[in-house]
Amino acid sequence: MNVTVYLFSIAKEMAGFEEKKLTLNDDATIDSVYEYLIQSNSRFMDWKSTLRFAVNHEYVENDCRLRNGDEVAVIPPVSGG
Amino acid sequence: MIDITDKNFDTDKIIQSVITPESGAVDVFIGTTRNHSNGKKVVKLEYEAYNPMALKKMEQIRKEAHERWDVHNVAIVHRIGEVAVGEASVVIAVSSSHRHEAFEACRYIIDRLKAVVPIWKREYFADGSVEWSKATHTEKIKE
């Protein structure tokens, strides 16, 4: 399946890209995306306890199963206001 | 009114947008850019948003406020892009018949916004350094 991953803030800086189309196995979860991020920069390992993910604009847990066409977002702790 | 804008906003217009003939109170929260952070001088801020999700979450928070309090209208407007020191980065306005509901709902909305809306602040310091705000980096976002 194919998903599009969007990155923001510090996650975008660490990865070095802000958008990436990924081809994943059909049983892929958010953890599969996380593993890809760690491969792009091992510093992502330090962020496991604080990084969150969203699928199609809703927060999800890391075991969330992905579907073809999903929009995945990598969301570091927010700091609006 | 729920909006994300890269322009300096008209606070009066946002306040006017929530007033109804039944309203007896409007509570307004304005977040402004501080000239210091962690002991360092700040020259400007820059905000980045995941727009579609941020708008969805702001709309969700608006609905939550309506469910919890008897309020008339809620406006939530956030700036993105560069915001100079002294300028407003967020405006929240809540109208209700009596002040209690407006005060409570307004506080709830800004607290929720700071906790879950995907917007990030970048601080530009006078010494030339630039950092993504670490204000909430110690804790995972909880819905």
Side-chain angles (χ1 to χ4, degrees):
Chain A
M1 73 169 117
N2 296 303
V3 301
T4 308
V5 181
Y6 294 92
L7 298 96
F8 299 91
S9 172
I10 190 100
K12 178 171 66 180
E13 280 187 4
M14 286 195 294
F17 51 84
E18 61 180 322
E19 183 184 339
K20 187 75 99 184
K21 293 211 188 314
L22 291 185
T23 302
L24 302 169
N25 293 333
D26 284 346
D27 60 351
T29 64
I30 284 295
D31 272 327
S32 319
V33 176
Y34 193 67
E35 279 162 26
Y36 176 85
L37 294 176
I38 290 170
Q39 277 171 21
S40 70
N41 185 341
S42 59
R43 277 177 67 204
F44 272 105
M45 277 199 283
D46 304 334
W47 286 77
K48 189 130 198 174
S49 62
T50 48
L51 216 54
R52 283 216 66 176
F53 290 84
V55 173
N56 303 329
H57 311 142
E58 284 297 336
Y59 289 110
V60 295
E61 299 304 323
N62 285 23
D63 59 359
C64 174
R65 286 284 289 267
L66 297 173
R67 287 184 297 189
N68 189 44
D70 275 346
E71 179 174 320
V72 179
V74 184
I75 307 206
V78 299
S79 51
Chain B
M1 184 193 291
I2 300 288
D3 200 15
I4 292 173
T5 176
D6 60 1
K7 309 238 172 3
N8 201 351
F9 31 54
D10 182 342
T11 311
D12 281 343
K13 202 171 151 189
I14 296 166
I15 294 168
Q16 287 300 321
S17 79
V18 301
I19 299 175
T20 72
E22 289 74 35
S23 304
V26 177
D27 192 59
V28 182
F29 174 82
I30 303 176
T32 56
T33 304
R34 253 194 311 266
N35 69 355
H36 62 278
S37 175
N38 296 322
K40 283 163 70 175
K41 193 175 185 316
V42 173
V43 288
K44 68 172 180 183
L45 293 184
E46 199 174 80
Y47 286 90
E48 173 181 274
Y50 179 23
N51 268 39
M53 181 170 171
L55 288 167
K56 190 175 177 181
K57 288 285 146 194
M58 287 156 76
E59 182 60 34
Q60 180 192 315
I61 294 168
R62 187 185 70 77
K63 279 192 193 137
E64 288 169 6
H66 278 284
E67 282 160 15
R68 282 160 195 251
W69 291 277
D70 184 13
V71 293
H72 298 154
N73 283 312
V74 170
I76 311 172
V77 185
H78 205 294
R79 276 277 290 280
I80 51 168
E82 277 186 24
V83 181
V85 167
E87 284 185 2
S89 54
V90 62
V91 175
I92 294 164
V94 184
S95 61
S96 58
S97 293
H98 302 283
R99 67 187 182 282
H100 177 76
E101 289 83 358
F103 274 128
E104 295 275 309
C106 195
R107 189 191 181 95
Y108 173 85
I109 293 164
I110 183 61
D111 287 349
R112 287 283 288 152
L113 181 146
K114 289 177 88 76
V116 303
V117 175
I119 295 176
W120 300 270
K121 175 165 59 181
R122 207 173 191 207
E123 293 167 320
Y124 288 75
F125 296 99
D127 64 8
S129 60
V130 181
E131 282 175 25
W132 290 102
S133 172
K134 292 188 187 72
T136 52
H137 276 203
T138 48
E139 206 179 344
K140 202 162 192 162
I141 300 162
K142 290 187 184 70
E143 276 202 277

